[in-house]
Amino acid sequence: MRAVIQRVSRATVTVEGEVTGAIERGLLVLLGVGHDDTEETARALATKVAKLRIFGDEAGKMNLSVQDTGGGVLAVSQFTLLADTRRGNRPSFTGAAPPEQANRLYEVFCETLASLGLPIAKGIFGAHMNVDLTNDGPVTIVMEM
């Protein structure tokens, strides 16, 4: 499982002109699910994201998590994060999990974040989405489990 995590001051996802998810201060998480990923992997990654200390404390040090700040999470499924670009110029996506597995684990990831008390906004799995964000910092972290 691979996640690109961006600390944002705001983020929205729009599908066919309709906003399907929006947050103010918090995290935008782009999530890619691979063949070998499991519910355990999804829960572990969600817990790690919730506790990731990338928000500034009163001294300006990155010492607070999204849980600590009361921020939200906008989670967007993105199979292209599993692109293999080692050969040729056209990416291969054979490392990405099949849609049924990927959607189930994306939902487990989101449910785990919600169970940790985080407000969750989501994109629509499998849809063409437009993601708009203001990256705060900028702070961008790539995590793999």
Side-chain angles (χ1 to χ4, degrees), residues 60-136:
K61 233 180 158 180
M62 279 202 250
N63 206 23
L64 301 174
S65 70
V66 70
Q67 285 181 308
D68 297 330
T69 64
V73 176
L74 175 57
V76 177
S77 177
Q78 188 173 346
F79 78 93
T80 60
L81 289 178
L82 281 287
D84 181 353
T85 58
R86 291 176 290 182
R87 289 188 276 163
N89 293 318
R90 182 176 178 181
S92 168
F93 301 106
T94 58
E100 303 77 29
Q101 176 188 0
N103 189 27
R104 181 174 51 82
L105 296 180
Y106 166 70
E107 291 297 335
V108 168
F109 177 83
C110 292
E111 289 164 7
T112 302
L113 289 170
S115 76
L116 295 169
L118 292 170
I120 303 299
K122 300 188 320 186
I124 296 179
F125 185 88
H128 180 98
M129 295 175 271
N130 292 311
V131 179
D132 186 45
L133 67 128
T134 302
N135 191 318
D136 178 22

Side-chain angles (χ1 to χ4, degrees), residues 43-60:
R43 285 190 287 273
L45 182 59
T47 301
K48 185 93 169 165
V49 166
K51 296 178 185 297
L52 187 64
R53 298 182 337 184
I54 60 172
F55 289 88
D57 62 15
E58 59 279 346

Side-chain angles (χ1 to χ4, degrees), residues 9 13 25 27 34 41 47 49 72 76 124 126 141 143:
S9 54
V13 62
R25 186 171 189 224
L27 299 175
T41 309
T47 301
V49 166
V76 177
I124 296 179
I141 307 280
M143 293 178 89

